[in-house]
Amino acid sequence: MKTLDVRGLYEQLYNQMGPQRWWPAERWMETVVGSILIQNASAKTVDPVIEKVGRETGFDPQVLIGLSQEELERLIFEAGLYRSKAKYLRASLEFFGQYDFDLAPLQALETAELRKRIRAVNGIGNETADVWLVYIFGRA
């Protein structure tokens, strides 16, 4: 039985088709916000909330972390499960805040260690961790 070379297939597709932008975000913090808000929700519900967060904060991590928990809850209320999602977003902001919102120290980690640290953030499961690995850190 022949083994499939997934990485080789990915590289071939990438070379032929280029980046596909499957996760619709301009900035890495937008990916963080969107990946948390989409948990247990639909894009139809969450997309307007992501736009609202962008308008009100510019996805600036310093602005976001400066919001009180109540302000954060009000900002994302329409996404559903807003109390839980606000906690998860706060935990994510605190995680990145440990590194002064500089991705370089995290980027320097091996993928397994980076994934382990991401998974340790409250509210970040396998799917969200993988979204961050792929769309924030460019890992396969």
Side-chain angles (χ1 to χ4, degrees), residues 25-40:
E26 302 280 322
R27 299 165 212 83
W28 69 268
M29 185 51 68
E30 184 177 359
T31 300
V32 170
V33 170
S35 66
I36 292 167
L37 296 184
I38 197 68
Q39 294 174 0
N40 299 303

Side-chain angles (χ1 to χ4, degrees), residues 19 33 37-38 44 57 59 61 66-67 74 95-96 101 108 112 120 130 134 140:
V33 170
L37 296 184
I38 197 68
K44 182 180 177 183
T57 69
F59 297 109
L67 296 174
R74 276 194 302 274
F95 169 73
F96 286 107
F101 301 103
D130 291 343
V134 172

Side-chain angles (χ1 to χ4, degrees), residues 26-94:
E26 302 280 322
R27 299 165 212 83
W28 69 268
M29 185 51 68
E30 184 177 359
T31 300
V32 170
V33 170
S35 66
I36 292 167
L37 296 184
I38 197 68
Q39 294 174 0
N40 299 303
S42 70
K44 182 180 177 183
T45 301
V46 170
D47 285 349
V49 180
I50 294 171
E51 290 175 20
K52 178 181 171 186
V53 172
R55 277 192 314 274
E56 295 193 20
T57 69
F59 297 109
D60 182 325
Q62 298 293 348
V63 173
L64 284 162
I65 204 164
L67 296 174
S68 70
Q69 196 66 16
E70 295 75 26
E71 290 170 324
L72 199 50
E73 288 175 2
R74 276 194 302 274
L75 183 61
I76 66 168
F77 178 81
E78 293 88 0
L81 302 172
Y82 66 95
R83 286 196 174 108
S84 298
K85 291 178 183 182
K87 284 183 205 169
Y88 303 156
L89 187 51
R90 171 80 53 215
S92 299
L93 290 163
E94 289 171 357

